[in-house]
Amino acid sequence: MNIEEIGFYKVAEFILREPPARDECFKVVSRDADAHEYGNFSEIARREMIHRHMANEMTSVDMAAVCVAEFPDAPWGLRMELARQAWEESRHVPALYRRVKE
Amino acid sequence: MRMITTVSERGRSVATFRYICVWMMETIARWTPITPEMEAKVMMGRHIWEYAQMADALGKRTFELRLPEQHSIAPVAAYEAFLKDIVKTSSTADKIAIFYDGVVPGIIARFKAYIAATDEILDEPSIVALQRAIVDLERQRIDAAQLQRELKLSSGVAPAAAEREKSIPEIVTVEKVAA
C-alpha cells in the first residue's frame, strides 16, 4: 500500500481522509456515535474510554506524519512543528497503553 | 575519502546530508499511516522528529557555509535513484529491515567519513551536528532491532540494499563552474 492509496470521503461539505492502516485486532469506527458506550464508570467502561483515547493518539501520529509527508513545500518551521507533533503523539500512545494494561 | 579543504565542499556536503535527513523524515512519515502495527507507528513517530532535528541542525550550518539557511542539495543520480527505490518497499518487515539495516548503516558510515576528512577546528560545527546525528541513528537501529524481536519481523532485504548503498562511492555532486 502507498500513502496515495489512502483515499478521501465526504461528510456534508467536508472532505476527509480515509482511515490509516490498523492492526487487525482493532475494530475501526469513524464517529463517536458508532463507538461502544457503557454509560457508567465500571472497569470495562473505563478501559474502553482509555482505549478510545489511545486510538485517538495513534490517529494523531498518523495525521502529523501524513502532513510531513504530503506537504514538502510547507515552510520548514511548520514541518518541524509537525514532526515534533508526531513525536508528542507517539509518546502519548504507550502512556495510555500502560494505563489500559493496569 | 580525500580531505575536504574548502568552504564550498563543506557546504555542498552538509547540504547533501541535509537532503538525506529530510528524505529519512519524509520516508518514515510516509510509511507511518500505511503501517498497521501500533508498535511500529509509535517508533516511527519518534524517529520523524529526530530526523527533523538532524536536518534542522545541518540546515543552520549551511548558512554558515555560505549557502542559504536550510538549503538542501540532491545527491548524485545513482544515490537519488537508490533512495527512491527504498520508498517503494511494501511490508512492515521489509520496511524496517531495509531502512534501519540497509540504509542507515551506510549513512552513519558517510557521516563518519566526512568527520574524518574535514578540518576538526574550522569545521567543528558540522562535526558536532553529525556526531549528534550518529548517536541518534545508532540508537534508532537498536530501537528497530527491538521492534523486530517484539513483532517477530523477519526479512532478507537489507543486505542487497546495503551493498547497493556501498557501491556508490561519492554522493555529493560536483559543483558546476560557469564557463
Side-chain angles (χ1 to χ4, degrees), chain A residues 28-86:
Chain A
V28 178
V29 296
S30 300
R31 303 179 309 157
D32 263 2
D34 297 327
H36 193 82
E37 291 280 3
Y38 289 90
N40 57 37
F41 286 98
S42 63
E43 189 176 313
I44 194 166
R46 282 181 284 147
R47 193 190 307 162
E48 194 280 332
M49 186 176 68
I50 296 168
H51 184 273
R52 192 189 304 189
H53 192 165
M54 188 184 83
N56 288 343
E57 302 293 354
M58 237 161 49
T59 308
S60 302
V61 178
D62 289 321
M63 288 163 68
V66 164
C67 291
V68 169
E70 294 200 329
F71 297 97
D73 297 328
W76 177 246
L78 175 59
R79 303 194 85 195
M80 284 285 287
E81 294 297 336
L82 289 163
R84 186 180 169 109
Q85 192 193 350

Side-chain angles (χ1 to χ4, degrees), chain B:
Chain B
M1 190 175 184
R2 64 179 178 78
M3 293 309 290
I4 296 167
T5 55
T6 68
V7 171
S8 171
E9 280 181 294
R10 288 177 194 133
R12 295 187 69 76
S13 297
V14 169
T16 306
F17 293 153
R18 182 183 185 275
Y19 179 100
I20 291 167
C21 291
V22 171
W23 174 85
M24 290 194 285
M25 175 184 80
E26 290 176 348
T27 301
I28 291 299
R30 177 167 286 272
W31 285 349
T32 301
I34 57 175
T35 298
E37 294 86 350
M38 184 187 76
E39 295 85 350
K41 277 183 197 289
V42 168
M43 184 190 80
M44 289 173 168
R46 284 176 22 227
H47 292 181
I48 290 166
W49 171 230
E50 290 174 350
Y51 300 131
Q53 290 175 94
M54 290 174 203
D56 191 61
L58 294 170
K60 286 186 169 71
R61 181 62 179 148
T62 56
F63 183 70
E64 296 169 347
L65 293 168
R66 302 179 198 160
L67 290 170
E69 191 166 343
Q70 301 302 339
H71 184 65
S72 289
I73 296 177
V76 296
Y79 199 80
E80 203 174 7
F82 166 69
L83 297 181
K84 279 185 180 161
D85 286 344
I86 296 296
V87 178
K88 297 173 194 162
T89 310
S90 56
S91 73
T92 302
D94 286 351
K95 282 183 180 118
I96 300 299
I98 207 164
F99 193 92
Y100 294 100
D101 300 332
V103 180
V104 169
I107 293 170
I108 292 171
R110 288 181 197 276
F111 286 2
K112 286 182 176 174
Y114 178 90
I115 290 169
T118 196
D119 188 299
E120 64 184 329
I121 296 172
L122 299 180
D123 199 18
E124 189 178 356
S126 304
I127 293 172
V128 169
L130 291 171
Q131 282 174 334
R132 287 176 180 161
I134 289 167
V135 169
D136 278 348
L137 290 169
E138 285 176 340
R139 201 218 59 255
Q140 287 176 0
R141 293 201 64 216
I142 295 169
D143 294 344
Q146 192 178 330
L147 183 80
Q148 286 167 327
R149 283 193 300 275
E150 194 178 339
L151 298 183
K152 299 184 173 56
L153 300 175
S154 171
S155 167
V157 298
E163 276 306 306
R164 186 174 167 194
E165 205 276 350
K166 269 188 204 159
S167 73
I168 305 166
E170 181 55 65
I171 62 167
V172 180
T173 55
V174 177
E175 188 175 18
K176 288 182 186 129
V177 180

